[in-house]
Amino acid sequence: KRPKVALQAGLTTVLILLVSYFVGDAILALFRIEMDAFRIAGSVLIAAAGWAMVMGRISTAYGEVQGSPATIPLSIPKLAGPGAIAVVIAVGQDSIWEYAVEDVVIIVLLGIISTVLMLLASPIARVLREEGLDVISRLFGLILLAIAIGSILTALSHAFPGLVR
């Protein structure tokens, strides 16, 4: 069942990111959401996930989910969460056709890499054992938290020029 879930999660993630890339700007405009506000909101969610990882807490926000775990919580919000969606919308806003092809290829490659890593999760977990996974989780949580704070600072500097240096 794991290979099927990994493949579904990878494909769903690619689809979500491609839709966000091509029509995300229009969706934000429809709801009159500023890109900086979306970046900050996504970054706060990423920061919350990073904080939970650093503190060693397991997310239980989704409880028992109906249907395949490939969609929720793997694709949304783990792989194609607000941060990833904000990034592809921002990149898609300024992209010209030449770069759009490259961007699509990058999104597809990231989906393939994510799928392969999900398929390798069990062997990696056996090698690292619980202690190694805990250390790596906390380290990546700290990195995720730093990325989120950097993204918030960048969005604030765009929204309020001169506020953040």
Side-chain angles (χ1 to χ4, degrees), residues 1-8 112-124 126:
K1 187 172 179 179
R2 285 180 197 228
K4 181 180 176 186
V5 169
L7 184 60
Q8 286 176 336
I112 291 168
I113 291 168
S114 297
T115 302
V116 169
L117 289 175
M118 285 185 282
L119 292 170
L120 295 174
S122 290
I124 291 171
R126 278 193 297 274

mmCIF file of all heavy atoms in Angstrom, residues 1-8 112-124 126:
data_model
loop_
_atom_site.group_PDB
_atom_site.id
_atom_site.type_symbol
_atom_site.label_atom_id
_atom_site.label_comp_id
_atom_site.label_asym_id
_atom_site.label_seq_id
_atom_site.Cartn_x
_atom_site.Cartn_y
_atom_site.Cartn_z
ATOM 1 N N LYS A 1 0.826 -1.198 0.000
ATOM 2 C CA LYS A 1 0.000 0.000 0.000
ATOM 3 C C LYS A 1 0.873 1.267 0.000
ATOM 4 O O LYS A 1 0.481 2.278 -0.557
ATOM 5 C CB LYS A 1 -0.922 -0.029 1.211
ATOM 6 C CG LYS A 1 -1.937 1.070 1.212
ATOM 7 C CD LYS A 1 -2.934 0.885 2.329
ATOM 8 C CE LYS A 1 -3.927 2.023 2.298
ATOM 9 N NZ LYS A 1 -4.929 1.924 3.315
ATOM 10 N N ARG A 2 2.058 1.208 0.626
ATOM 11 C CA ARG A 2 2.926 2.388 0.691
ATOM 12 C C ARG A 2 3.325 2.918 -0.681
ATOM 13 O O ARG A 2 3.297 4.128 -0.902
ATOM 14 C CB ARG A 2 4.170 2.091 1.512
ATOM 15 C CG ARG A 2 3.915 2.038 2.984
ATOM 16 C CD ARG A 2 5.200 1.749 3.725
ATOM 17 N NE ARG A 2 4.907 1.318 5.061
ATOM 18 C CZ ARG A 2 5.498 1.812 6.128
ATOM 19 N NH1 ARG A 2 6.427 2.714 5.987
ATOM 20 N NH2 ARG A 2 5.170 1.384 7.312
ATOM 21 N N PRO A 3 3.730 2.055 -1.613
ATOM 22 C CA PRO A 3 4.087 2.592 -2.938
ATOM 23 C C PRO A 3 2.927 3.318 -3.614
ATOM 24 O O PRO A 3 3.128 4.368 -4.238
ATOM 25 C CB PRO A 3 4.496 1.347 -3.730
ATOM 26 C CG PRO A 3 4.911 0.359 -2.701
ATOM 27 C CD PRO A 3 4.043 0.628 -1.512
ATOM 28 N N LYS A 4 1.729 2.785 -3.458
ATOM 29 C CA LYS A 4 0.556 3.425 -4.060
ATOM 30 C C LYS A 4 0.306 4.803 -3.427
ATOM 31 O O LYS A 4 0.063 5.784 -4.130
ATOM 32 C CB LYS A 4 -0.679 2.538 -3.887
ATOM 33 C CG LYS A 4 -1.925 3.108 -4.494
ATOM 34 C CD LYS A 4 -3.115 2.191 -4.281
ATOM 35 C CE LYS A 4 -4.378 2.841 -4.812
ATOM 36 N NZ LYS A 4 -5.568 2.062 -4.497
ATOM 37 N N VAL A 5 0.390 4.879 -2.104
ATOM 38 C CA VAL A 5 0.184 6.149 -1.405
ATOM 39 C C VAL A 5 1.273 7.141 -1.786
ATOM 40 O O VAL A 5 1.000 8.322 -2.026
ATOM 41 C CB VAL A 5 0.126 5.923 0.124
ATOM 42 C CG1 VAL A 5 0.177 7.248 0.879
ATOM 43 C CG2 VAL A 5 -1.127 5.147 0.501
ATOM 44 N N ALA A 6 2.520 6.678 -1.868
ATOM 45 C CA ALA A 6 3.631 7.559 -2.240
ATOM 46 C C ALA A 6 3.421 8.119 -3.646
ATOM 47 O O ALA A 6 3.616 9.327 -3.875
ATOM 48 C CB ALA A 6 4.958 6.801 -2.159
ATOM 49 N N LEU A 7 3.026 7.276 -4.574
ATOM 50 C CA LEU A 7 2.789 7.732 -5.947
ATOM 51 C C LEU A 7 1.615 8.709 -6.006
ATOM 52 O O LEU A 7 1.702 9.753 -6.660
ATOM 53 C CB LEU A 7 2.538 6.532 -6.867
ATOM 54 C CG LEU A 7 2.370 6.848 -8.343
ATOM 55 C CD1 LEU A 7 3.622 7.522 -8.900
ATOM 56 C CD2 LEU A 7 2.065 5.587 -9.129
ATOM 57 N N GLN A 8 0.531 8.393 -5.311
ATOM 58 C CA GLN A 8 -0.624 9.298 -5.283
ATOM 59 C C GLN A 8 -0.251 10.646 -4.680
ATOM 60 O O GLN A 8 -0.645 11.697 -5.192
ATOM 61 C CB GLN A 8 -1.773 8.682 -4.480
ATOM 62 C CG GLN A 8 -2.498 7.570 -5.174
ATOM 63 C CD GLN A 8 -3.556 6.937 -4.278
ATOM 64 O OE1 GLN A 8 -3.478 6.991 -3.047
ATOM 65 N NE2 GLN A 8 -4.546 6.326 -4.900
ATOM 66 N N ILE A 112 8.756 13.955 -8.222
ATOM 67 C CA ILE A 112 9.427 12.654 -8.372
ATOM 68 C C ILE A 112 10.367 12.398 -7.188
ATOM 69 O O ILE A 112 10.368 11.305 -6.607
ATOM 70 C CB ILE A 112 10.197 12.594 -9.711
ATOM 71 C CG1 ILE A 112 9.201 12.565 -10.886
ATOM 72 C CG2 ILE A 112 11.117 11.377 -9.757
ATOM 73 C CD1 ILE A 112 9.837 12.788 -12.251
ATOM 74 N N ILE A 113 11.144 13.408 -6.810
ATOM 75 C CA ILE A 113 12.060 13.260 -5.679
ATOM 76 C C ILE A 113 11.286 12.970 -4.396
ATOM 77 O O ILE A 113 11.668 12.094 -3.610
ATOM 78 C CB ILE A 113 12.948 14.514 -5.527
ATOM 79 C CG1 ILE A 113 13.924 14.610 -6.704
ATOM 80 C CG2 ILE A 113 13.692 14.508 -4.193
ATOM 81 C CD1 ILE A 113 14.645 15.951 -6.812
ATOM 82 N N SER A 114 10.189 13.677 -4.189
ATOM 83 C CA SER A 114 9.358 13.444 -2.999
ATOM 84 C C SER A 114 8.826 12.021 -2.978
ATOM 85 O O SER A 114 8.830 11.357 -1.935
ATOM 86 C CB SER A 114 8.181 14.426 -2.962
ATOM 87 O OG SER A 114 8.646 15.742 -2.854
ATOM 88 N N THR A 115 8.373 11.535 -4.130
ATOM 89 C CA THR A 115 7.853 10.169 -4.221
ATOM 90 C C THR A 115 8.936 9.153 -3.891
ATOM 91 O O THR A 115 8.720 8.229 -3.112
ATOM 92 C CB THR A 115 7.282 9.905 -5.633
ATOM 93 O OG1 THR A 115 6.250 10.867 -5.898
ATOM 94 C CG2 THR A 115 6.722 8.505 -5.756
ATOM 95 N N VAL A 116 10.114 9.340 -4.464
ATOM 96 C CA VAL A 116 11.224 8.416 -4.200
ATOM 97 C C VAL A 116 11.597 8.427 -2.719
ATOM 98 O O VAL A 116 11.797 7.369 -2.109
ATOM 99 C CB VAL A 116 12.452 8.767 -5.085
ATOM 100 C CG1 VAL A 116 13.686 8.009 -4.650
ATOM 101 C CG2 VAL A 116 12.132 8.484 -6.548
ATOM 102 N N LEU A 117 11.652 9.604 -2.114
ATOM 103 C CA LEU A 117 11.992 9.685 -0.696
ATOM 104 C C LEU A 117 10.926 9.021 0.175
ATOM 105 O O LEU A 117 11.259 8.373 1.170
ATOM 106 C CB LEU A 117 12.207 11.140 -0.278
ATOM 107 C CG LEU A 117 13.476 11.784 -0.831
ATOM 108 C CD1 LEU A 117 13.534 13.262 -0.469
ATOM 109 C CD2 LEU A 117 14.722 11.065 -0.342
ATOM 110 N N MET A 118 9.666 9.166 -0.198
ATOM 111 C CA MET A 118 8.605 8.480 0.560
ATOM 112 C C MET A 118 8.740 6.967 0.425
ATOM 113 O O MET A 118 8.504 6.234 1.385
ATOM 114 C CB MET A 118 7.217 8.947 0.103
ATOM 115 C CG MET A 118 6.859 10.324 0.621
ATOM 116 S SD MET A 118 5.177 10.817 0.224
ATOM 117 C CE MET A 118 5.356 11.295 -1.492
ATOM 118 N N LEU A 119 9.126 6.505 -0.757
ATOM 119 C CA LEU A 119 9.333 5.066 -0.948
ATOM 120 C C LEU A 119 10.518 4.556 -0.138
ATOM 121 O O LEU A 119 10.541 3.404 0.282
ATOM 122 C CB LEU A 119 9.533 4.751 -2.439
ATOM 123 C CG LEU A 119 8.308 4.948 -3.324
ATOM 124 C CD1 LEU A 119 8.688 4.838 -4.793
ATOM 125 C CD2 LEU A 119 7.220 3.947 -2.966
ATOM 126 N N LEU A 120 11.498 5.415 0.093
ATOM 127 C CA LEU A 120 12.702 5.029 0.851
ATOM 128 C C LEU A 120 12.567 5.301 2.353
ATOM 129 O O LEU A 120 13.509 5.038 3.107
ATOM 130 C CB LEU A 120 13.921 5.775 0.310
ATOM 131 C CG LEU A 120 14.336 5.436 -1.122
ATOM 132 C CD1 LEU A 120 15.467 6.351 -1.571
ATOM 133 C CD2 LEU A 120 14.757 3.977 -1.212
ATOM 134 N N ALA A 121 11.428 5.820 2.788
ATOM 135 C CA ALA A 121 11.262 6.216 4.188
ATOM 136 C C ALA A 121 11.465 5.053 5.158
ATOM 137 O O ALA A 121 12.154 5.198 6.168
ATOM 138 C CB ALA A 121 9.892 6.853 4.401
ATOM 139 N N SER A 122 10.898 3.907 4.873
ATOM 140 C CA SER A 122 11.038 2.764 5.792
ATOM 141 C C SER A 122 12.482 2.291 5.921
ATOM 142 O O SER A 122 12.962 2.112 7.048
ATOM 143 C CB SER A 122 10.130 1.614 5.345
ATOM 144 O OG SER A 122 8.791 1.961 5.556
ATOM 145 N N PRO A 123 13.203 2.080 4.801
ATOM 146 C CA PRO A 123 14.608 1.681 4.960
ATOM 147 C C PRO A 123 15.452 2.727 5.686
ATOM 148 O O PRO A 123 16.306 2.386 6.508
ATOM 149 C CB PRO A 123 15.103 1.493 3.521
ATOM 150 C CG PRO A 123 13.891 1.337 2.686
ATOM 151 C CD PRO A 123 12.786 2.035 3.400
ATOM 152 N N ILE A 124 15.199 3.991 5.417
ATOM 153 C CA ILE A 124 15.952 5.058 6.089
ATOM 154 C C ILE A 124 15.635 5.046 7.586
ATOM 155 O O ILE A 124 16.531 5.171 8.423
ATOM 156 C CB ILE A 124 15.634 6.438 5.463
ATOM 157 C CG1 ILE A 124 16.206 6.513 4.043
ATOM 158 C CG2 ILE A 124 16.183 7.569 6.326
ATOM 159 C CD1 ILE A 124 15.772 7.722 3.253
ATOM 160 N N ARG A 126 14.730 2.529 9.401
ATOM 161 C CA ARG A 126 15.378 1.368 10.035
ATOM 162 C C ARG A 126 16.844 1.648 10.334
ATOM 163 O O ARG A 126 17.369 1.259 11.372
ATOM 164 C CB ARG A 126 15.251 0.135 9.142
ATOM 165 C CG ARG A 126 13.919 -0.576 9.274
ATOM 166 C CD ARG A 126 13.949 -1.949 8.618
ATOM 167 N NE ARG A 126 14.185 -1.920 7.180
ATOM 168 C CZ ARG A 126 13.237 -1.773 6.255
ATOM 169 N NH1 ARG A 126 11.980 -1.633 6.618
ATOM 170 N NH2 ARG A 126 13.545 -1.762 4.980
#
